[in-house]
Amino acid sequence: MPDSEALRQAALRASWQRDHQVGRRRRWWRWTVWAFWRYGLPLLLVAATVTAFVTIALARTLEH
């Protein structure tokens, strides 16, 4: 049977590991959201605009 100090140390170590895992996950999530707003959304808007213009241009050429 481990003594109380060993149990306390193991619990602290496990808690520290969980804290770091959660911190890493939160940082990854923040960077992902930031990158989407900074680069993903503008690229998505440009792609949608180009697609709309191409679709309109093709529709006009097919009408004549």
Side-chain angles (χ1 to χ4, degrees):
M1 183 92 182
D3 63 346
S4 61
E5 182 60 22
L7 286 174
R8 188 181 78 77
Q9 290 293 325
L12 283 173
R13 206 170 17 259
S15 175
W16 184 83
Q17 287 175 342
R18 278 191 307 272
D19 286 347
H20 280 278
Q21 288 172 347
V22 169
R24 257 185 261 124
R25 187 171 52 243
R26 286 181 180 166
R27 276 191 303 277
W28 180 252
W29 180 246
R30 276 188 231 125
W31 275 105
T32 302
V33 170
W34 175 84
F36 172 75
W37 283 107
R38 178 77 168 101
Y39 301 109
L41 189 60
L43 287 174
L44 188 64
L45 292 174
V46 167
T49 304
V50 168
T51 303
F53 278 118
V54 168
T55 303
I56 292 169
L58 286 176
R60 287 186 179 176
T61 59
L62 292 176
E63 287 176 359
H64 296 88

